[in-house]
Amino acid sequence: LNGSVRGVQKTLTVATEPTFAPFEFQVAGKLQGFDIELVNAIAAAAGFQVKYQNMPFSGMIPALQAKSIDAAVSAMTITEERSKTVSFSRPYFKSGLGIAVRGSNQDITNFESLKNKKIAVQIGTTGADKAKTVPGAAIRTFDDTPIALQELLNGNVDAVVHDQPGLLYGIKTGNLQGLKIVGQLLTEEYYGIPTPKNSPNLKLINQGLTKVLSNGTYAQIYKKWFNS
Ligand code: GLN
């Protein structure tokens, strides 16, 4: 029956923080992006409805633990730490952390040269965790990535550590004019859709995800947002 009971589909509340193009963002109040189209496709394939709920990224794990949402989609990396308290879908996107600096910066060229620098990060992210391992660095934490990047553009910090696909997209589309990415990817990370621990909906989400991965829908959405 594909998740529907006598033709009535269940509705899952899915949290997102729409400040991270091209994964989830808003234009004129309308939610869009790779993650949003992917979840819409998963829902269509598995036979459930989605109600999106905007929420700060750092609030998602607590909300999942409290079961006040059914799932989240927000370019969230599957980590061991998070997996102690929530259950992730199968991975859906390969990512990694990158370093953004101002175009004029000459002295930060890789992770080692972040030593003793001022680094802006988004609270509760893998980028924040990574930045904390830099010796002598002053870490400044912000609620979302656009604010952290604005601090960098304003010259208040030396670098931002965040998911490279988002940084690249911002630079390519001109939204982050004046910034560049330096060095190698710092990590290899995989995004997943978190649900409450052992959620009964996990199977449904994975079935839908597996379908869209195998029927060409995933490739179509990927091409639209990443053009390759
Ligand atoms: N992938 C990173 C994490 O999971 C950042 C996600 C985001 O900023 N939305 O921590």
Side-chain angles (χ1 to χ4, degrees):
L1 276 176
N2 254 346
S4 60
V5 179
R6 282 189 235 103
V8 180
Q9 293 189 340
K10 71 161 117 179
T11 298
L12 301 191
T13 301
V14 179
T16 191
E17 184 197 55
T19 63
F20 192 44
F23 294 97
E24 43 272 324
F25 59 107
Q26 283 177 315
V27 175
K30 207 174 169 297
L31 207 50
Q32 48 193 287
F34 176 86
D35 280 352
I36 305 304
E37 288 185 18
L38 180 64
V39 165
N40 290 344
I42 290 170
F48 63 89
Q49 303 284 320
V50 180
K51 187 172 166 282
Y52 289 102
Q53 185 180 322
N54 291 355
M55 173 179 296
F57 184 76
S58 60
M60 289 175 190
I61 299 287
L64 289 162
Q65 287 183 266
K67 296 195 166 85
S68 59
I69 51 175
D70 296 306
V73 71
S74 233
M76 189 182 286
T77 303
I78 301 170
T79 67
E80 243 178 73
E81 187 59 29
R82 290 171 180 158
S83 299
K84 289 179 190 161
T85 55
V86 302
S87 296
F88 281 96
S89 69
R90 62 179 284 188
Y92 71 82
F93 191 92
K94 185 180 173 187
S95 184
L97 296 171
I99 303 168
V101 298
R102 283 182 300 282
S104 56
N105 184 299
Q106 302 289 346
D107 60 334
I108 299 176
T109 53
N110 57 22
F111 188 68
E112 284 64 43
S113 50
L114 285 173
K115 205 176 156 184
N116 299 328
K117 300 291 187 194
K118 277 185 246 163
I119 309 172
V121 295
Q122 179 178 346
I123 189 166
T125 61
T126 50
D129 289 341
K130 187 73 185 170
K132 281 178 201 147
T133 70
V134 178
I139 311 297
R140 295 189 48 203
T141 303
F142 296 93
D143 285 343
D144 62 44
T145 303
I147 308 176
L149 290 163
Q150 194 54 51
E151 286 292 291
L152 177 58
L153 281 165
N154 292 349
N156 297 331
V157 295
D158 303 305
V160 165
V161 175
H162 200 68
D163 303 36
Q164 180 136 305
L167 297 175
L168 277 175
Y169 185 84
I171 290 170
K172 193 178 79 179
T173 55
N175 287 336
L176 297 180
Q177 228 165 23
L179 299 186
K180 64 181 178 185
I181 290 172
V182 294
Q184 307 285 312
L185 276 178
L186 306 179
T187 55
E188 180 175 306
E189 307 188 3
Y190 293 88
Y191 297 160
I193 298 168
T195 66
K197 197 80 180 162
N198 304 320
S199 163
N201 298 316
L202 195 58
K203 201 173 145 201
L204 195 62
I205 292 169
N206 273 326
Q207 280 171 353
L209 179 50
T210 298
K211 256 194 213 169
V212 304
L213 280 164
S214 60
N215 72 8
T217 308
Y218 181 96
Q220 230 169 46
I221 300 171
Y222 189 92
K223 190 164 184 228
K224 170 174 172 185
W225 293 101
F226 297 99
N227 191 32
S228 59

